[in-house]
């Protein structure tokens, strides 16, 4: 099934929340509309994919799950991970992240050659992890296994590091949602390292908002 862009989704959310507000001008804009305007002013492309079923992908719970202590054996050597999902492939496997235009992907390279991947979305896809839950899901998937490196790729300029600890959806109407003023790769690296409980030196960040990503 073809994916839809985040632009359409964000406009839809903006329209719904606009009807709920009575003010006019910037002061009366709902938080999501302010975010859309800010991202648009920064020239950041925004896109959203619909969730798809993928082998060995964890769905998103309401609360972050507890960390597992036993490794999980991946069922597929080639895996497609859509927005809000977490999955794993074994040594030599390939992960494909589709439609990475406003998202960030987090690929954890394990010491044994396997990979755990996450596709973090600015806005939560129904039934999948939202941005402040996804790192806990990755950490659960890793369990006690050793991590060699963590690669963060995607629309770096569209993300504030705090989105990994408080998602956009968690802000009520009237609350100010932080919006990016420019790329913050160092802040994102710290947020991901802290969320996974890994040393900062293992995390690299690359601005790559160019659509599909394939990680071998």
């Amino acid at each position: 099934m073809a994916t839809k862009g985040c632009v359409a989704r964000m406009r839809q959310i903006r329209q719904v929340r606009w009807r709920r507000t009575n003010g006019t001008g910037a002061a009366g804009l709902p938080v999501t509309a302010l975010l859309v305007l800010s991202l648009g002013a920064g020239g950041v492309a925004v896109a959203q994919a619909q969730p798809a079923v993928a082998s060995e992908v964890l769905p998103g719970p309401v609360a972050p799950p507890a960390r597992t202590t036993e490794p999980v054996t991946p069922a597929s050597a080639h895996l497609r991970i859509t927005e809000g999902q977490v999955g794993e492939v074994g040594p030599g496997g390939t992960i494909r992240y589709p439609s990475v235009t406003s998202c960030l992907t987090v690929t954890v390279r394990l010491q044994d050659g396997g990979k755990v991947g996450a596709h973090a979305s600015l806005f939560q896809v129904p039934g999948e992890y939202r941005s402040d839950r996804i790192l806990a899901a990755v950490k659960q998937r890793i369990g006690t296994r050793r991590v060699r490196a963590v690669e963060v790729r995607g629309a770096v300029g569209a993300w504030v590091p705090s989105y990994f600890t408080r998602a956009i959806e968690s802000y009520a109407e009237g609350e100010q949602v932080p919006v990016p003023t420019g790329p913050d790769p160092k802040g994102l690296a710290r947020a991901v390292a802290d969320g996974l409980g890994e040393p900062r030196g293992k995390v690299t960040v690359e601005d790559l908002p160019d659509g599909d990503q394939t990680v071998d």
Side-chain angles (χ1 to χ4, degrees):
M1 179 177 181
T3 59
K4 299 180 180 178
C6 259
V7 172
R9 176 171 170 78
M10 291 172 72
R11 286 176 179 168
Q12 183 181 32
I13 296 173
R14 177 183 173 185
Q15 291 168 358
V16 172
R17 292 192 174 179
W18 181 268
R19 298 191 193 103
R20 297 178 182 174
T21 59
N22 297 317
T24 58
L29 285 174
V31 292
T32 308
L34 286 173
L35 181 63
V36 173
L37 292 177
S38 174
L39 293 182
V44 179
V46 185
Q48 179 85 5
Q50 293 298 321
V53 177
S55 174
E56 287 299 309
V57 172
L58 297 179
V62 174
R67 188 170 186 175
T68 58
T69 57
E70 296 297 329
V72 178
T73 302
S76 174
H78 305 285
L79 189 62
R80 181 176 182 268
I81 301 179
T82 63
E83 291 180 66
Q85 293 184 337
V86 172
E88 178 182 355
V89 293
T94 298
I95 296 177
R96 180 174 175 266
Y97 303 101
S99 302
V100 183
T101 51
S102 70
C103 307
L104 287 178
T105 65
V106 179
T107 304
V108 178
R109 294 185 180 272
L110 302 173
Q111 199 67 44
D112 65 3
K115 292 181 284 290
V116 176
H119 192 152
S121 176
L122 279 175
F123 293 97
Q124 184 181 18
V125 173
E128 308 294 357
Y129 289 104
R130 72 185 196 184
S131 62
D132 56 1
R133 306 295 193 194
I134 201 162
L135 293 180
V138 174
K139 189 174 181 179
Q140 175 204 19
R141 193 80 185 216
I142 294 170
T144 58
R145 292 174 292 176
R146 295 181 61 188
V147 171
R148 179 163 55 88
V150 181
E151 299 167 357
V152 181
R153 298 176 178 174
V156 172
W159 282 73
V160 176
S162 64
Y163 292 166
F164 279 115
T165 54
R166 187 176 182 186
I168 292 171
E169 291 86 359
S170 69
Y171 289 85
E173 291 294 346
E175 286 191 282
Q176 184 177 357
V177 178
V179 295
T181 57
D184 186 6
K186 291 183 179 179
L188 288 173
R190 285 193 299 270
V192 171
D194 291 346
L196 298 179
E198 295 293 336
R200 164 64 183 84
K202 289 187 179 182
V203 183
T204 57
V205 178
E206 181 181 3
D207 187 30
L208 195 66
D210 296 327
D212 295 356
Q213 292 181 12
T214 301
V215 180
D216 296 317

